Amino acid sequence: MSKPGERFRPIWIDHQSDVVKVIDQRALPHELVIMDLNSVDQVIFAIKEMVVRGAPLIGVTGAYGIFVALKNGKDNADETYIKGEAGKIRKARPTAVNLSWGVKRTLSAVLSEKDPSRQIDIARQVAGEIAEEEVKNSRNIGQYGVKLIREIAREKPGKPVNILTHCNAGSLACIEFGTATAPIYAALEMGIDVHVWVDETRPLNQGARLTAWELGKYGVPHTVITDNAGGHLMQHHMVDMVIVGTDRSTYTGDVANKIGTYLKALAAKDNNIPFYVALPSSTFDWTIRDGVADIPIEVRDPDEVRYIPGAAKSRDNLLMPETSPAANYAFDVTPARLVTGFITERGVCKASETDVRRLFPEKV
Amino acid sequence: MSKPGERFRPIWIDHQSDVVKVIDQRALPHELVIMDLNSVDQVIFAIKEMVVRGAPLIGVTGAYGIFVALKNGKDNADETYIKGEAGKIRKARPTAVNLSWGVKRTLSAVLSEKDPSRQIDIARQVAGEIAEEEVKNSRNIGQYGVKLIREIAREKPGKPVNILTHCNAGSLACIEFGTATAPIYAALEMGIDVHVWVDETRPLNQGARLTAWELGKYGVPHTVITDNAGGHLMQHHMVDMVIVGTDRSTYTGDVANKIGTYLKALAAKDNNIPFYVALPSSTFDWTIRDGVADIPIEVRDPDEVRYIPGAAKSRDNLLMPETSPAANYAFDVTPARLVTGFITERGVCKASETDVRRLFPEKV
C-alpha cells in the first residue's frame, strides 16, 4: 500500500495473524491509519462510525463480521449466537442494502455447513469471495463505463472530458477500482484525457478527503469544489457528464446516494448533461418499487454538521452558534426520471424496471 | 448592540469620532469584533475580505467609502482624486451591483457640490440616506413578504411554516431586517409560527455563522443543514417556501446569488415549492437582459474552499490533500423561469420584464 501507484484495498485479511484489517477512512487524507477488527463490536463500530463506508465495502465488512463473530464465539458459536451477531451487524447502518446482503449471504453459507469446526473457514472464504466478486464487478463497470467517456472524448478532441462526482464511490468505497471511479480509472489507462470535479460532500467531506486522495494517488487530474458549485459549472458547459455511486437503488431506477446527489441530478437534467449511476448488482434492492417513499434514510448525529469534520468538539471547531440546532440526513433519493443510465457489471442500461430486469433476469 | 433582542446594524458612524464602524463578520458567530474604516484601503479590504458582505450592505459601505476618501484627501480632494478613489472602491467586488450603485450615487452628489468644504458633509449625508432607505426598503419587503407566509400559515393551522434560506440575506447583509429575513421577522412579530432551514452555505458558511446567529438573536426557531440537504427536505414536504436574497438581478428576472442558490431553485421547482427572491430596487441591474450569460461571477481564492473557514492555513485545517487544487466560484445565476416571484419594497411581482417594469416604471 505504501508504494506510490500501487493498488490498495480498504479491507483485507492479514494471513499471518488471520486478523481483518481496514483503513480507518476517518483519518484520511492526512494520515493512513490501519485498524484491526477483532470483535463484532469493533465491526459494528467501524461501520457505524464510518471507519469503513461505501456500499460495496460495507457489504464486504459485514461479511467479514460473520467471520469475526465465529472466531470470537469459538466453541459456543451455535446457530442462535451467530444469527444474533449477524442481526446486530446488519442493523449497524440502514440505507446501504449491501450490508444486509453481504451478511445474509455469508450467514447462509455458514449455516448450511453442519460441521461447526469448518464454519469459520467458510465464513472467511465467502467474505473473500464477495470481495473478489466486487473487484470483478468494479472492473466490469469500468470497462462498460469507459465507453461512455470515450464517446464524449471523441466529440471534443484535444480537450479533457470533465466528469463531476459526488461523495466517494471509489476504491475506498469498494475493494478496488470503485464504482463511479472505475470508468475514470479505465479512461486513464486508455490514455483518455479526463478531469474530475470532486464535490467536497458535506458534512463528512468524503469527496474532499477520500475521492481527492485516491484520484491524486492514481494520478487523475481533479479539482475539489463545494457542493454548491456543480450547477454553475453545468450551466457554463464545464461538466460533460456526472457519474455517482449509490447506496441502494431500486430495480425501478430510483437511486439512494449521499445527500445532495438529487440536486446534482436536477442540475444535470436542466442542462442536458448525462447523469450516470455506477453500481454492482449487490446494490440493487429487488423488493422496493418507490425509492423516494420507501428507502430508509439514515439520520445521523447533528454534531457531524455542527463541528468541523474529525475535529474535537470544542467551541473553536463549532461551525455555528452554540445554541443553533442542526439536522443531518445522510442520503437522498434521485428519482429514476433524472437518471440517464445505470453502469453495472453486466453493461449499461436505462434506469427503468424493464431495462434492469432485462440485464438481471434471474433476480426478479 | 449588546442588549439582547435589541436591533443592531452592521455599519454605522460613531458621531463623536466621525469614524465609520462595521461589525467584522468574519469573526461571527463566536466573537463580536468592531472594525474602524479609516482609509480607502481599509474600506476596500473590508469589502474584498468580506468583513462586510451582502448586496445592500456593500452598497452602503461603498457610499461611506466616498466619505472616508474625502476625510483623508482633505485639501487635496479634487475631482480627479475622488473619482480615482471611487473607481478603486467600485472594483473591490464584481458581482453585487449595489456597490457600484452606492458609490456612483454618493460620488454624483459630492461632485455636484462646488464648495469643497461642504463635500465631506454631503458624502456623510448621502451615505446615511442610502442606509436609511435600505432600512425602509427592508421594512417594506418584510410587510409585502409576510403576506405570502401568512397565506401558507392559514393552510396549515397549528403547524409552523418551514422556510428554507441560503447564505445570509439578513440584517447583517443589509442595514436592518434584511431582505430574505425581513418577511420572517415580520411573521415573528405577527405571531405566525415559523421555522427556518438554514443552509450552511459553503465555503464561507454565511448561513451557519451569520443567519443562524441573527435568527438566534431575534428568537426565530431554526435548524442548520448542509447545502446538500434541501432537496431531500423538499421531497419530503418539510419545506413550504424558499426565500433568498440576491447580489444582482436582471430586470428580466435572472437572479445572481450565492453559489448553490440555483440548485435550491431547481429542487423547489421539482417539488412545486414557491421560490421567492427578496430584494430592494438597488439590487436590480437595469442594463443586463441575460443574467446567466452576462452577470460577472466572482472567482475567489481557492484556499477559502481548501481550508476550514476562518482557521489558520495549517495542514491541520486543510480539508483535502495538500496536492489537490480547488475552485471557488462565489455566485451562480438562477434563471427567471425558476423564480416564483420577487419581493421588493414596492410589492411582490413575477420575475419577468413586464412585471418588474410595471413596478418600477421610472427605472427603464
Side-chain angles (χ1 to χ4, degrees), chain A residues 29-31 166 197 200-203 205 208-209 212-213 222-233 235-236 238 259-260 262-264 266-267 270-271 292 297 305 308-309 315 318-322 324-327 329 331-335 337-338, chain B residues 29-31 166 197 200-203 205 208-209 212-213 222-233 235-236 238 259-260 262-264 266-267 270-271 292 297 305 308-309 315 318-322 324-327 329 331-335 337-338:
Chain A
H30 301 312
E31 282 181 84
H166 190 70
W197 294 108
E200 72 172 345
T201 318
R202 284 278 294 145
N205 292 18
R209 292 192 303 107
W213 180 79
H222 64 279
T223 306
V224 180
I225 48 173
T226 62
D227 302 309
N228 284 322
H232 172 75
L233 298 177
Q235 276 181 323
H236 292 272
M238 293 157 84
I259 190 91
Y262 167 51
L263 296 172
K264 294 302 139 64
L266 286 166
D270 200 47
N271 293 284
V292 176
I297 298 300
V305 175
I308 288 162
R315 206 187 74 155
L318 183 59
L319 294 166
M320 60 199 66
E322 285 173 285
S324 289
Y329 299 89
F331 303 94
D332 63 22
V333 177
T334 299
R337 65 187 151 85
L338 302 177
Chain B
H30 301 312
E31 281 181 86
H166 190 69
W197 295 108
E200 72 173 345
T201 319
R202 284 279 294 146
N205 291 18
R209 293 192 302 108
W213 181 79
H222 64 279
T223 306
V224 179
I225 48 173
T226 62
D227 301 310
N228 284 323
H232 172 76
L233 298 177
Q235 276 181 324
H236 292 272
M238 293 157 84
I259 189 91
Y262 167 51
L263 296 172
K264 294 302 141 64
L266 286 166
D270 200 46
N271 293 284
V292 176
I297 298 299
V305 175
I308 288 162
R315 207 187 74 154
L318 183 60
L319 294 167
M320 60 198 68
E322 285 172 286
S324 289
Y329 299 90
F331 303 94
D332 63 20
V333 177
T334 300
R337 66 186 151 85
L338 302 176

Side-chain angles (χ1 to χ4, degrees), chain A residues 150-306:
Chain A
R150 200 173 47 193
E151 274 172 41
I152 295 169
R154 280 184 184 145
E155 287 163 23
K156 47 183 301 194
K159 287 182 190 164
V161 178
N162 287 299
I163 301 167
L164 185 142
T165 192
H166 190 70
C167 198
N168 174 266
S171 309
L172 284 166
C174 304
I175 307 302
E176 280 187 25
F177 308 108
T179 50
T181 55
I184 295 166
Y185 292 136
L188 197 76
E189 276 175 25
M190 290 174 68
I192 298 171
D193 192 5
V194 288
H195 167 261
V196 182
W197 294 108
V198 179
D199 273 0
E200 72 172 345
T201 318
R202 284 278 294 145
L204 295 178
N205 292 18
Q206 291 94 335
R209 292 192 303 107
L210 307 179
T211 303
W213 180 79
E214 65 167 273
L215 292 179
K217 206 169 160 64
Y218 291 135
V220 181
H222 64 279
T223 306
V224 180
I225 48 173
T226 62
D227 302 309
N228 284 322
H232 172 75
L233 298 177
M234 293 186 203
Q235 276 181 323
H236 292 272
H237 315 292
M238 293 157 84
V239 178
D240 295 304
M241 71 189 303
V242 180
I243 314 180
V244 297
T246 166
D247 296 81
R248 182 189 305 217
S249 286
T250 65
Y251 65 100
T252 56
D254 296 339
V255 174
N257 191 41
K258 182 58 54 198
I259 190 91
T261 301
Y262 167 51
L263 296 172
K264 294 302 139 64
L266 286 166
K269 187 77 165 184
D270 200 47
N271 293 284
N272 290 313
I273 292 165
F275 181 93
Y276 284 99
V277 178
L279 77 169
S281 53
S282 55
T283 304
F284 276 112
D285 186 321
W286 304 99
T287 66
I288 287 180
R289 283 198 64 82
D290 181 343
V292 176
D294 294 333
I295 295 178
I297 298 300
E298 181 178 7
V299 181
R300 294 181 61 84
D301 186 347
D303 281 351
E304 290 182 349
V305 175
R306 299 183 77 235

Side-chain angles (χ1 to χ4, degrees), chain B residues 217-338:
Chain B
K217 205 169 160 68
Y218 291 135
V220 181
H222 64 279
T223 306
V224 179
I225 48 173
T226 62
D227 301 310
N228 284 323
H232 172 76
L233 298 177
M234 292 186 204
Q235 276 181 324
H236 292 272
H237 314 292
M238 293 157 84
V239 177
D240 295 303
M241 71 188 303
V242 180
I243 315 180
V244 296
T246 166
D247 297 82
R248 182 190 304 216
S249 286
T250 64
Y251 65 100
T252 56
D254 295 339
V255 174
N257 191 40
K258 183 58 53 198
I259 189 91
T261 301
Y262 167 51
L263 296 172
K264 294 302 141 64
L266 286 166
K269 187 78 164 185
D270 200 46
N271 293 284
N272 289 313
I273 292 165
F275 181 94
Y276 284 98
V277 178
L279 75 169
S281 52
S282 54
T283 304
F284 276 112
D285 186 321
W286 304 99
T287 65
I288 288 181
R289 283 199 65 82
D290 182 342
V292 176
D294 294 332
I295 295 177
I297 298 299
E298 181 178 8
V299 182
R300 294 181 59 85
D301 186 347
D303 281 351
E304 290 181 349
V305 175
R306 299 182 77 236
Y307 290 91
I308 288 162
K313 289 186 188 171
S314 70
R315 207 187 74 154
D316 282 350
N317 295 323
L318 183 60
L319 294 167
M320 60 198 68
E322 285 172 286
T323 50
S324 289
N328 186 11
Y329 299 90
F331 303 94
D332 63 20
V333 177
T334 300
R337 66 186 151 85
L338 302 176

Side-chain angles (χ1 to χ4, degrees), chain B residues 86-356:
Chain B
K88 283 193 257 171
I89 298 167
R90 280 173 65 175
K91 278 188 292 188
R93 290 191 75 194
T95 303
V97 76
N98 304 59
L99 176 56
S100 181
W101 173 87
V103 169
K104 217 164 135 186
R105 178 164 152 188
T106 315
L107 182 68
S108 303
V110 162
L111 294 180
S112 69
E113 171 59 56
K114 296 302 162 204
D115 178 0
S117 69
R118 287 214 57 234
Q119 287 182 332
I120 189 166
D121 293 331
I122 285 175
R124 189 194 301 102
Q125 187 191 322
V126 172
E129 279 168 12
I130 293 175
E132 295 311 320
E133 279 171 26
E134 291 298 10
V135 174
K136 210 174 141 193
N137 286 341
S138 286
R139 204 186 296 262
N140 287 332
I141 286 168
Q143 293 313 308
Y144 287 114
V146 76
K147 293 179 191 170
L148 303 168
I149 299 177
R150 199 172 48 192
E151 273 171 41
I152 295 168
R154 281 184 183 144
E155 286 163 24
K156 48 184 298 195
K159 289 182 189 163
V161 177
N162 287 299
I163 302 167
L164 185 142
T165 193
H166 190 69
C167 198
N168 174 267
S171 308
L172 284 166
C174 305
I175 307 302
E176 281 187 24
F177 308 109
T179 51
T181 55
I184 295 166
Y185 293 135
L188 197 77
E189 275 175 26
M190 289 172 68
I192 298 171
D193 192 5
V194 289
H195 166 262
V196 182
W197 295 108
V198 178
D199 274 1
E200 72 173 345
T201 319
R202 284 279 294 146
L204 294 179
N205 291 18
Q206 292 93 336
R209 293 192 302 108
L210 307 179
T211 303
W213 181 79
E214 66 167 273
L215 292 179
K217 205 169 160 68
Y218 291 135
V220 181
H222 64 279
T223 306
V224 179
I225 48 173
T226 62
D227 301 310
N228 284 323
H232 172 76
L233 298 177
M234 292 186 204
Q235 276 181 324
H236 292 272
H237 314 292
M238 293 157 84
V239 177
D240 295 303
M241 71 188 303
V242 180
I243 315 180
V244 296
T246 166
D247 297 82
R248 182 190 304 216
S249 286
T250 64
Y251 65 100
T252 56
D254 295 339
V255 174
N257 191 40
K258 183 58 53 198
I259 189 91
T261 301
Y262 167 51
L263 296 172
K264 294 302 141 64
L266 286 166
K269 187 78 164 185
D270 200 46
N271 293 284
N272 289 313
I273 292 165
F275 181 94
Y276 284 98
V277 178
L279 75 169
S281 52
S282 54
T283 304
F284 276 112
D285 186 321
W286 304 99
T287 65
I288 288 181
R289 283 199 65 82
D290 182 342
V292 176
D294 294 332
I295 295 177
I297 298 299
E298 181 178 8
V299 182
R300 294 181 59 85
D301 186 347
D303 281 351
E304 290 181 349
V305 175
R306 299 182 77 236
Y307 290 91
I308 288 162
K313 289 186 188 171
S314 70
R315 207 187 74 154
D316 282 350
N317 295 323
L318 183 60
L319 294 167
M320 60 198 68
E322 285 172 286
T323 50
S324 289
N328 186 11
Y329 299 90
F331 303 94
D332 63 20
V333 177
T334 300
R337 66 186 151 85
L338 302 176
V339 179
T340 309
F342 284 138
I343 311 172
T344 79
E345 74 267 26
R346 292 201 190 154
V348 176
C349 74
K350 281 192 192 152
S352 77
E353 182 173 351
T354 314
D355 285 62
V356 172

